[in-house]
Amino acid sequence: MTHKNARMTVLSVLLPASMLLLSLGQIGQYFSRHGIFAKLTARLNDNLSSTNIAIRDCSHNYTINIMSLNPVVFYLDNFIKESEVQHLLEITKNEFDDSRVFLNGQAVVDKSYRSSQSALVDIDDPVSQCLSQRLKALVGNVQHEDTERLHLVKYGVGGYFNLHNDWLTRPLEATGKDGSPRPYNRAGSVFAYLDDSCTGGETYFPEVQGVPDNAEGTKFSRSSTGKGLLVKPRRGSAVFWISAHMNGTGDERMVHASLPVTSGTKVGLNMFSIYYLDTPLVGSMKGQ
Ligand SMILES: *[C@@H]1O[C@H](CO)[C@@H](O)[C@H](O)[C@H]1NC(C)=O
Ligand SMILES: *[C@@H]1O[C@H](CO)[C@@H](O)[C@H](O)[C@H]1NC(C)=O
Ligand SMILES: *[C@@H]1O[C@H](CO)[C@@H](O)[C@H](O)[C@H]1NC(C)=O
């Protein structure tokens, strides 16, 4: 059975069941007045809202523009659907805390280097699961056993992130199946824009080829010298790059910054595909 058929089967089972459960939900409302099934009713209603069904639909229509082949940089137009954007903004709205940077392996707040707020997305969240699959499918023959937990990052006026690389000078550790530490580093990065109601806030890659002066102005800016790639915040769209060389070392050319927001607010989404140091970085493709 193909992926598409599987989804249609699930949907056709879900729809009649949801009609039945909605009426059960209404019965539940009667009992909830007596304080009995209040919690269950709330969860049923929550689970069966049309939004909830929509966010479980992982289909997508994004398109790729190759910006650079060496290093690998893609522009992903419409990578995150509007329903997904709204869901992610809604579930994290009270979760933001000062963003951290890694300093000697420790995650610390340093506002002179990075001034923004971050919010982690629950690993079980249905949109998080769709996006993790989408990233894994994109990286293809690059190792894609796991992705890091998604996190949102919010920049107010003056918020910025100085030049940095997503590849970590000290690998992080996950826990292997036998409980032992399993070092990993980041391979593919996606930075998506969720809220673009701002000026400034471009993602700047000084070592990557810039765009010509007739390039799409809603997607890209140009520096005065034309040097470096400047990607503009554009709701739902994203930039993708590979942070590691194929021998597993970091690619310094992928250094980048988030330029200061000059008005309004920018919210972005960080996604990282990771590679375990115990497995080859390329040539470990699994079925999708
Ligand atoms: C609601 O959905 C979650 C999964 O998102 C599931 O774990 C839970 O059992 C569901 N609750 C009800 C009452 O159907
Ligand atoms: C993708 O595009 C097709 C054709 O325009 C449309 O029918 C479909 O709803 C779109 N799907 C998504 C997820 O946007
Ligand atoms: C890894 O590959 C890069 C790019 O080819 C090269 O510059 C670097 O020296 C290599 N590092 C090691 C440790 O082999």
Side-chain angles (χ1 to χ4, degrees), residues 40 43-44 47 56:
L40 175 63
R43 295 214 43 191
L44 277 175
N47 276 18
R56 282 165 213 279

Side-chain angles (χ1 to χ4, degrees), residues 143-208:
Q143 193 195 137
H144 57 248
E145 200 175 323
D146 286 313
T147 54
E148 254 182 52
R149 243 174 108 177
L150 307 188
H151 61 268
L152 274 68
V153 56
K154 183 190 284 185
Y155 296 88
V157 175
Y160 73 104
F161 193 171
N162 211 330
L163 285 170
H164 64 282
N165 207 324
D166 292 346
W167 189 82
L168 304 157
T169 41
R170 280 193 201 182
L172 289 169
E173 274 176 0
T175 309
K177 285 198 174 70
D178 62 357
S180 62
R182 202 177 171 208
Y184 73 85
N185 212 320
R186 294 165 174 172
S189 291
V190 166
F191 189 78
Y193 307 97
L194 303 184
D195 184 352
D196 60 2
S197 55
C198 64
T199 54
E202 289 95 341
T203 309
Y204 174 47
F205 301 87
E207 306 291 323
V208 177

Side-chain angles (χ1 to χ4, degrees), residues 33-266:
R33 267 185 244 129
H34 304 274
I36 309 174
F37 298 122
K39 203 167 175 189
L40 175 63
T41 311
R43 295 214 43 191
L44 277 175
N45 287 342
D46 177 50
N47 276 18
L48 297 168
S49 69
S50 54
T51 321
N52 209 312
I53 292 172
I55 59 168
R56 282 165 213 279
D57 169 13
C58 290
S59 63
H60 54 74
N61 269 347
Y62 76 88
T63 53
I64 298 177
N65 298 127
I66 299 177
M67 305 308 297
S68 167
L69 285 171
N70 187 12
V72 168
V73 183
F74 297 166
Y75 185 84
L76 309 176
D77 206 328
N78 197 26
F79 190 67
I80 319 270
K81 290 184 291 191
E82 180 57 24
S83 56
E84 294 168 336
V85 169
Q86 286 177 14
H87 174 79
L88 292 170
L89 293 173
E90 177 61 27
I91 59 166
T92 54
K93 67 183 178 196
N94 299 319
E95 305 292 326
F96 285 89
D97 211 347
D98 285 337
S99 303
R100 288 163 187 269
V101 289
F102 284 104
L103 197 69
N104 303 322
Q106 299 285 330
V108 297
V109 174
D110 179 353
K111 290 195 178 174
S112 67
Y113 204 85
R114 184 183 196 191
S115 161
S116 59
Q117 284 76 48
S118 299
L120 276 169
V121 179
D122 195 343
I123 204 136
D124 298 325
D125 177 78
V127 168
S128 163
Q129 292 190 353
C130 286
L131 294 181
S132 171
Q133 276 309 115
R134 203 169 299 163
L135 174 56
K136 288 180 184 180
L138 175 62
V139 295
N141 198 35
V142 171
Q143 193 195 137
H144 57 248
E145 200 175 323
D146 286 313
T147 54
E148 254 182 52
R149 243 174 108 177
L150 307 188
H151 61 268
L152 274 68
V153 56
K154 183 190 284 185
Y155 296 88
V157 175
Y160 73 104
F161 193 171
N162 211 330
L163 285 170
H164 64 282
N165 207 324
D166 292 346
W167 189 82
L168 304 157
T169 41
R170 280 193 201 182
L172 289 169
E173 274 176 0
T175 309
K177 285 198 174 70
D178 62 357
S180 62
R182 202 177 171 208
Y184 73 85
N185 212 320
R186 294 165 174 172
S189 291
V190 166
F191 189 78
Y193 307 97
L194 303 184
D195 184 352
D196 60 2
S197 55
C198 64
T199 54
E202 289 95 341
T203 309
Y204 174 47
F205 301 87
E207 306 291 323
V208 177
Q209 179 67 50
V211 296
D213 55 14
N214 62 354
E216 169 73 86
T218 63
K219 298 180 182 172
F220 308 106
S221 303
R222 267 166 62 84
S223 65
S224 50
T225 59
K227 194 178 174 299
L229 177 66
L230 283 155
V231 183
K232 273 191 178 175
R234 193 176 194 253
R235 189 171 172 113
S237 291
V239 57
F240 165 82
W241 65 96
I242 299 280
S243 291
H245 290 299
M246 294 302 108
N247 61 15
T249 66
D251 188 338
E252 294 300 331
R253 297 170 302 174
M254 287 323 304
V255 66
H256 58 283
S258 177
L259 298 188
V261 166
T262 48
S263 71
T265 305
K266 167 177 125 180

